[in-house]
Amino acid sequence: MKKFYSFLVVAFLAVVLIGCSSDSDADSAQGESGDKETETFKVGYMPNYASMNSVVAGIETGSFEEQGLEVELVEFADGPTIIAALESGSIDAGYIGPGAHVLPIQGQAKIFAFSHLGNADEVIGNTEMGIESIEDLKGKKIGVATGTSSETILDLTLQEAGISEDDVTLVDMDASAIVTAMISGGVDAVATWSPNTNTIKEEMGDKAVMLTNNARYADVFPSIASWVVSPSYAEENAETIEKFTRGLYEGMDYHVENPEEVAKWVAKQSAVEEDAVLAQTGDGDWKKSEEILEMLNDGTIEQYYEKQQENFIESERLTEDDKVDVSEYLMLENMEKAAE
């Protein structure tokens, strides 16, 4: 009988030890592969270097993975469409160019990260249609994507030339249609952005003349590009947004140092020739995260957005009644925490 009880005790202890070992192994496995639960994060972008460089660099270098995020990229034609997708919940965050910033000011999005000052927008005229200077735009048919950064540059161009919108025929069309219309002669001039600008100039040669671009109006109209989320997402997902911003800043730092390598990654993601993407690496004034932090601390970032809002009012894209304090749509605390 004693042997029987001894056997039971030994068997019981064996079961306990096996159970503990299993639990330990499971905990170890969790420690090795489950320290950070991966969260899917859908990001809207436009197929150009300015929109993609930081986020693609973050993906390729593992910056987002280190933050516990699996970033999925979703392509869009322009900023207003991206903000509409944020509102519908089909994406979590997105990139917008200067023109679409009217929408965050109107409460339709929150800006959680400053991207850069752009130089990708141009107004291009067709010399065969008698356009050699901005004054020649009077009476012409101009293709433009309403609500985008290029519309802003066109507004400034017409103002400089003393031309009102009543003096021209504006044709609202999407990005791909603008390229086709310009090359085919369907319009006399266009306001669009890179890489459309490069395609038009390559196809038209000497017939295409660049009339104005962002750099021409940098002092009076900073062409800000930003990263945005919907107001409801901002309210409910502050931690996730900060994680993405950290990964994004690491991507910024990498692409500033390695533009040619990042251009290859962008070309692969957007399925275009590498040379075409390399031609876009000068489309912005790229900053590292430490420089952005300095600009946040000295108030430069806020000043950019304040000036942008003033310009929207002056160009009548917004009214005085639309004016708000920039802190209402800028997530400045997130920008600072992520850059530290």
Side-chain angles (χ1 to χ4, degrees), residues 36-42 64 67-72 92 233 237 239-241 243:
K36 292 181 180 179
E37 183 179 347
T38 302
E39 179 181 357
T40 300
F41 194 80
K42 294 184 178 181
F64 295 118
Q67 297 295 326
L69 299 177
E70 180 182 352
V71 173
E72 294 183 5
D92 300 311
Y233 192 92
N237 299 277
E239 184 178 347
T240 300
I241 294 170
K243 289 178 181 179

mmCIF file of all heavy atoms in Angstrom, residues 36-42 64 67-72 92 233 237 239-241 243:
data_model
loop_
_atom_site.group_PDB
_atom_site.id
_atom_site.type_symbol
_atom_site.label_atom_id
_atom_site.label_comp_id
_atom_site.label_asym_id
_atom_site.label_seq_id
_atom_site.Cartn_x
_atom_site.Cartn_y
_atom_site.Cartn_z
ATOM 1 N N LYS A 36 5.056 42.702 -28.064
ATOM 2 C CA LYS A 36 4.267 43.764 -28.685
ATOM 3 C C LYS A 36 3.219 43.139 -29.586
ATOM 4 O O LYS A 36 3.539 42.466 -30.557
ATOM 5 C CB LYS A 36 5.172 44.683 -29.512
ATOM 6 C CG LYS A 36 6.132 45.520 -28.694
ATOM 7 C CD LYS A 36 6.964 46.421 -29.585
ATOM 8 C CE LYS A 36 7.929 47.271 -28.767
ATOM 9 N NZ LYS A 36 8.757 48.138 -29.633
ATOM 10 N N GLU A 37 1.999 43.366 -29.238
ATOM 11 C CA GLU A 37 0.918 42.865 -30.078
ATOM 12 C C GLU A 37 0.830 43.734 -31.322
ATOM 13 O O GLU A 37 0.703 44.949 -31.242
ATOM 14 C CB GLU A 37 -0.392 42.915 -29.304
ATOM 15 C CG GLU A 37 -1.565 42.333 -30.081
ATOM 16 C CD GLU A 37 -2.839 42.366 -29.281
ATOM 17 O OE1 GLU A 37 -2.769 42.597 -28.062
ATOM 18 O OE2 GLU A 37 -3.919 42.167 -29.882
ATOM 19 N N THR A 38 0.945 43.102 -32.480
ATOM 20 C CA THR A 38 0.943 43.851 -33.735
ATOM 21 C C THR A 38 -0.449 44.387 -34.048
ATOM 22 O O THR A 38 -1.432 43.660 -33.979
ATOM 23 C CB THR A 38 1.422 42.966 -34.899
ATOM 24 O OG1 THR A 38 2.730 42.490 -34.607
ATOM 25 C CG2 THR A 38 1.453 43.748 -36.203
ATOM 26 N N GLU A 39 -0.496 45.659 -34.392
ATOM 27 C CA GLU A 39 -1.757 46.329 -34.724
ATOM 28 C C GLU A 39 -1.701 46.799 -36.173
ATOM 29 O O GLU A 39 -0.744 47.443 -36.592
ATOM 30 C CB GLU A 39 -1.958 47.529 -33.797
ATOM 31 C CG GLU A 39 -3.227 48.317 -34.063
ATOM 32 C CD GLU A 39 -3.351 49.516 -33.130
ATOM 33 O OE1 GLU A 39 -2.486 49.687 -32.255
ATOM 34 O OE2 GLU A 39 -4.323 50.283 -33.302
ATOM 35 N N THR A 40 -2.716 46.461 -36.939
ATOM 36 C CA THR A 40 -2.770 46.901 -38.334
ATOM 37 C C THR A 40 -3.164 48.370 -38.391
ATOM 38 O O THR A 40 -4.089 48.808 -37.713
ATOM 39 C CB THR A 40 -3.785 46.069 -39.126
ATOM 40 O OG1 THR A 40 -3.390 44.694 -39.088
ATOM 41 C CG2 THR A 40 -3.842 46.524 -40.586
ATOM 42 N N PHE A 41 -2.438 49.120 -39.221
ATOM 43 C CA PHE A 41 -2.666 50.557 -39.332
ATOM 44 C C PHE A 41 -2.695 50.908 -40.815
ATOM 45 O O PHE A 41 -1.686 50.806 -41.512
ATOM 46 C CB PHE A 41 -1.539 51.313 -38.615
ATOM 47 C CG PHE A 41 -1.806 52.764 -38.373
ATOM 48 C CD1 PHE A 41 -2.599 53.176 -37.318
ATOM 49 C CD2 PHE A 41 -1.244 53.740 -39.192
ATOM 50 C CE1 PHE A 41 -2.839 54.529 -37.079
ATOM 51 C CE2 PHE A 41 -1.469 55.087 -38.962
ATOM 52 C CZ PHE A 41 -2.276 55.485 -37.897
ATOM 53 N N LYS A 42 -3.857 51.335 -41.307
ATOM 54 C CA LYS A 42 -4.026 51.610 -42.733
ATOM 55 C C LYS A 42 -3.757 53.092 -43.031
ATOM 56 O O LYS A 42 -4.342 53.962 -42.390
ATOM 57 C CB LYS A 42 -5.438 51.225 -43.186
ATOM 58 C CG LYS A 42 -5.706 49.719 -43.114
ATOM 59 C CD LYS A 42 -7.070 49.372 -43.671
ATOM 60 C CE LYS A 42 -7.301 47.866 -43.640
ATOM 61 N NZ LYS A 42 -8.618 47.492 -44.194
ATOM 62 N N PHE A 64 8.169 50.986 -37.996
ATOM 63 C CA PHE A 64 6.788 50.799 -37.529
ATOM 64 C C PHE A 64 6.636 49.461 -36.804
ATOM 65 O O PHE A 64 5.911 49.359 -35.817
ATOM 66 C CB PHE A 64 5.817 50.873 -38.707
ATOM 67 C CG PHE A 64 5.764 52.217 -39.368
ATOM 68 C CD1 PHE A 64 6.121 52.376 -40.693
ATOM 69 C CD2 PHE A 64 5.381 53.338 -38.665
ATOM 70 C CE1 PHE A 64 6.092 53.609 -41.313
ATOM 71 C CE2 PHE A 64 5.340 54.590 -39.265
ATOM 72 C CZ PHE A 64 5.703 54.727 -40.592
ATOM 73 N N GLN A 67 7.404 49.619 -33.329
ATOM 74 C CA GLN A 67 6.337 50.261 -32.563
ATOM 75 C C GLN A 67 5.111 49.360 -32.394
ATOM 76 O O GLN A 67 4.113 49.765 -31.807
ATOM 77 C CB GLN A 67 5.912 51.567 -33.247
ATOM 78 C CG GLN A 67 7.005 52.629 -33.319
ATOM 79 C CD GLN A 67 7.427 53.135 -31.963
ATOM 80 O OE1 GLN A 67 6.622 53.240 -31.047
ATOM 81 N NE2 GLN A 67 8.708 53.452 -31.827
ATOM 82 N N GLY A 68 5.189 48.155 -32.953
ATOM 83 C CA GLY A 68 4.067 47.229 -32.856
ATOM 84 C C GLY A 68 2.985 47.472 -33.880
ATOM 85 O O GLY A 68 1.838 47.062 -33.689
ATOM 86 N N LEU A 69 3.348 48.117 -35.006
ATOM 87 C CA LEU A 69 2.374 48.441 -36.043
ATOM 88 C C LEU A 69 2.712 47.734 -37.357
ATOM 89 O O LEU A 69 3.877 47.696 -37.769
ATOM 90 C CB LEU A 69 2.326 49.947 -36.298
ATOM 91 C CG LEU A 69 1.913 50.851 -35.133
ATOM 92 C CD1 LEU A 69 1.995 52.310 -35.554
ATOM 93 C CD2 LEU A 69 0.509 50.512 -34.653
ATOM 94 N N GLU A 70 1.707 47.197 -37.974
ATOM 95 C CA GLU A 70 1.837 46.671 -39.329
ATOM 96 C C GLU A 70 1.121 47.651 -40.259
ATOM 97 O O GLU A 70 -0.105 47.718 -40.289
ATOM 98 C CB GLU A 70 1.208 45.285 -39.454
ATOM 99 C CG GLU A 70 1.326 44.688 -40.849
ATOM 100 C CD GLU A 70 0.670 43.329 -40.984
ATOM 101 O OE1 GLU A 70 0.247 42.769 -39.943
ATOM 102 O OE2 GLU A 70 0.558 42.835 -42.113
ATOM 103 N N VAL A 71 1.889 48.428 -40.995
ATOM 104 C CA VAL A 71 1.327 49.498 -41.824
ATOM 105 C C VAL A 71 0.926 48.957 -43.185
ATOM 106 O O VAL A 71 1.716 48.321 -43.878
ATOM 107 C CB VAL A 71 2.342 50.648 -41.993
ATOM 108 C CG1 VAL A 71 1.822 51.676 -42.989
ATOM 109 C CG2 VAL A 71 2.602 51.312 -40.642
ATOM 110 N N GLU A 72 -0.323 49.215 -43.560
ATOM 111 C CA GLU A 72 -0.837 48.861 -44.883
ATOM 112 C C GLU A 72 -1.071 50.150 -45.657
ATOM 113 O O GLU A 72 -1.723 51.065 -45.159
ATOM 114 C CB GLU A 72 -2.150 48.071 -44.771
ATOM 115 C CG GLU A 72 -2.001 46.701 -44.138
ATOM 116 C CD GLU A 72 -3.313 45.925 -44.127
ATOM 117 O OE1 GLU A 72 -4.314 46.438 -44.698
ATOM 118 O OE2 GLU A 72 -3.352 44.842 -43.539
ATOM 119 N N ASP A 92 -6.889 54.652 -41.492
ATOM 120 C CA ASP A 92 -6.688 55.222 -40.160
ATOM 121 C C ASP A 92 -6.008 56.586 -40.196
ATOM 122 O O ASP A 92 -6.257 57.437 -39.336
ATOM 123 C CB ASP A 92 -5.846 54.264 -39.309
ATOM 124 C CG ASP A 92 -6.510 52.909 -39.154
ATOM 125 O OD1 ASP A 92 -7.699 52.876 -38.811
ATOM 126 O OD2 ASP A 92 -5.832 51.882 -39.384
ATOM 127 N N TYR A 233 -11.046 59.500 -34.546
ATOM 128 C CA TYR A 233 -9.907 58.593 -34.367
ATOM 129 C C TYR A 233 -8.880 59.228 -33.441
ATOM 130 O O TYR A 233 -8.290 58.549 -32.588
ATOM 131 C CB TYR A 233 -9.274 58.254 -35.714
ATOM 132 C CG TYR A 233 -8.282 57.108 -35.636
ATOM 133 C CD1 TYR A 233 -8.682 55.788 -35.861
ATOM 134 C CD2 TYR A 233 -6.942 57.345 -35.316
ATOM 135 C CE1 TYR A 233 -7.781 54.744 -35.772
ATOM 136 C CE2 TYR A 233 -6.033 56.300 -35.218
ATOM 137 C CZ TYR A 233 -6.458 54.994 -35.450
ATOM 138 O OH TYR A 233 -5.563 53.955 -35.349
ATOM 139 N N ASN A 237 -7.640 57.173 -30.117
ATOM 140 C CA ASN A 237 -6.455 56.357 -30.408
ATOM 141 C C ASN A 237 -5.154 57.145 -30.279
ATOM 142 O O ASN A 237 -4.244 57.010 -31.104
ATOM 143 C CB ASN A 237 -6.562 55.768 -31.812
ATOM 144 C CG ASN A 237 -7.762 54.866 -31.985
ATOM 145 O OD1 ASN A 237 -7.741 53.692 -31.650
ATOM 146 N ND2 ASN A 237 -8.843 55.434 -32.516
ATOM 147 N N GLU A 239 -2.569 56.831 -28.319
ATOM 148 C CA GLU A 239 -1.362 56.008 -28.176
ATOM 149 C C GLU A 239 -0.911 55.443 -29.516
ATOM 150 O O GLU A 239 0.276 55.464 -29.849
ATOM 151 C CB GLU A 239 -1.620 54.875 -27.187
ATOM 152 C CG GLU A 239 -0.381 54.031 -26.905
ATOM 153 C CD GLU A 239 -0.629 52.944 -25.876
ATOM 154 O OE1 GLU A 239 -1.682 52.982 -25.200
ATOM 155 O OE2 GLU A 239 0.228 52.045 -25.747
ATOM 156 N N THR A 240 -1.859 54.957 -30.300
ATOM 157 C CA THR A 240 -1.529 54.397 -31.612
ATOM 158 C C THR A 240 -0.976 55.478 -32.538
ATOM 159 O O THR A 240 -0.014 55.252 -33.280
ATOM 160 C CB THR A 240 -2.768 53.754 -32.261
ATOM 161 O OG1 THR A 240 -3.244 52.700 -31.416
ATOM 162 C CG2 THR A 240 -2.436 53.180 -33.635
ATOM 163 N N ILE A 241 -1.567 56.652 -32.497
ATOM 164 C CA ILE A 241 -1.099 57.764 -33.332
ATOM 165 C C ILE A 241 0.333 58.140 -32.964
ATOM 166 O O ILE A 241 1.166 58.396 -33.842
ATOM 167 C CB ILE A 241 -2.040 58.977 -33.194
ATOM 168 C CG1 ILE A 241 -3.414 58.651 -33.761
ATOM 169 C CG2 ILE A 241 -1.453 60.201 -33.901
ATOM 170 C CD1 ILE A 241 -4.477 59.692 -33.464
ATOM 171 N N LYS A 243 2.590 56.166 -31.674
ATOM 172 C CA LYS A 243 3.463 55.093 -32.172
ATOM 173 C C LYS A 243 3.744 55.268 -33.664
ATOM 174 O O LYS A 243 4.884 55.147 -34.111
ATOM 175 C CB LYS A 243 2.807 53.730 -31.938
ATOM 176 C CG LYS A 243 2.752 53.279 -30.499
ATOM 177 C CD LYS A 243 2.045 51.939 -30.395
ATOM 178 C CE LYS A 243 1.948 51.453 -28.960
ATOM 179 N NZ LYS A 243 1.225 50.150 -28.885
#
